[in-house]
Each structure stands twice: as structure tokens, then as C-alpha cells.
Amino acid sequence: MTKQWWLAVAGAFAMPAFACDELTVADAWVRLAPPTAPVMAGYLTLANTGKDAVTVRGGSSADFERVELHNMTHENGVMQMRKLDAIDVPPGGEVALAPGGMHLMLIGPKHSFAAGDQIEIVLQVCDGQQQTVSLPVREAAPAAADEHSQHSP
Ligand SMILES: [Cu+2]
């Protein structure tokens, strides 16, 4: 009886934490789209400074009908867009959602946006945890993410 009690306590402490580490977000932006555009694309780099992998399972925004995780791939010379169920950010690693690759697909804008607006997106991470990120609306990629900036003389 006593032994079982101790096992139960040990088990409780050994259980994986439901809370996972927060992701650090950089280079976040949403590409400005015409007011009639049915979707917009959001980009950001997710960095995990914790010891455990952090899984992003999706997102939502008050400004859109829904938010999906997407990936662009080249298949037989054709660009294809696929919905992802989740994106894993490994411990100590980072994952870039950037033009031409993975992105946040913002579906069904509820109003129009202008450059400089901030779009708040709630990411679903790990087991039901939420992390709110703010993405500024821009006409083009931030200079830091522009590969041409590396070619300056
Ligand atoms: Cu997409």
C-alpha cells in the first residue's frame, strides 16, 4: 500500500509537463494583399531555446475565418501547397516559415489591412497551450530576411 502511494507520486512528477517552452519569434510579417484577396500569407521564424521539442499544431486569429499551417513544395515542376498538421521545432533549433516554403495561411480576412497593421495570431502549441504572436503587415519581406542584403559590397 505504502509502496503504491510512492509510485503514484513518482509517476506524477515523471509525467511530461503539459506546459512547453515558449518559442521565440523573429522576422514575423504578413504580406499585404489586395482587399479582395481570399487568403493572406504570414511568415515568421520560430526558435526553441528550451530542452524539449515544441510542436505547433495550428493557429487562429480574430481577423480571419481560420489559420492553417501550409507548406509549398516543388513537385514535377509544379508548385504545390499542402496543409501541415503540425510543425516541430527541435530543442535548440529553429524553423523558418518564409516565402516559397512553409507559411501561415490566413484564410478569409474579416476586413482589409494596410501596411503597418498588426495581425495577432494565437498559435496552438504542444498540448493545448497557446502563444500569441503579432505579425506586422508589410508590402515586402523585412530587409533582414532579404537575401540581397547579404550581397552588399
Ligand atoms: Cu498556403
Side-chain angles (χ1 to χ4, degrees):
M1 188 68 179
T2 308
K3 193 183 174 192
Q4 281 174 352
W5 183 84
W6 277 108
L7 282 175
V9 171
F13 281 109
M15 263 167 60
F18 287 106
C20 65
D21 290 311
E22 283 230 329
L23 293 166
T24 307
V25 173
D27 298 330
W29 64 293
V30 170
R31 190 187 294 281
L32 183 66
T36 52
V39 297
M40 293 170 78
Y43 307 104
L44 75 178
T45 299
L46 301 166
N48 179 3
T49 55
K51 295 189 191 74
D52 300 302
V54 176
T55 304
V56 179
R57 301 188 187 282
S60 60
S61 172
D63 294 324
F64 294 86
E65 299 291 335
R66 62 181 203 279
V67 176
E68 292 182 354
L69 306 172
H70 278 195
N71 192 20
M72 292 266 256
T73 54
H74 259 302
E75 270 165 47
N76 304 321
V78 181
M79 279 295 253
Q80 298 225 327
M81 195 153 66
R82 286 245 168 90
K83 187 182 171 194
L84 300 171
D85 291 328
I87 294 173
D88 279 319
V89 186
E94 60 177 46
V95 173
L97 281 71
M102 288 187 281
H103 53 276
L104 296 169
M105 195 90 264
L106 313 177
I107 301 163
K110 293 181 180 174
H111 56 92
S112 58
F113 298 91
D117 287 351
Q118 293 279 339
I119 294 176
E120 289 215 332
I121 293 172
V122 180
L123 298 176
Q124 312 292 331
V125 295
C126 301
D127 295 315
Q129 205 174 316
Q130 300 190 328
Q131 182 175 349
T132 302
V133 295
S134 190
L135 292 76
V137 177
R138 313 178 66 115
E139 289 182 45
D146 181 356
E147 59 185 40
H148 294 289
S149 63
Q150 320 229 335
H151 297 289
S152 49

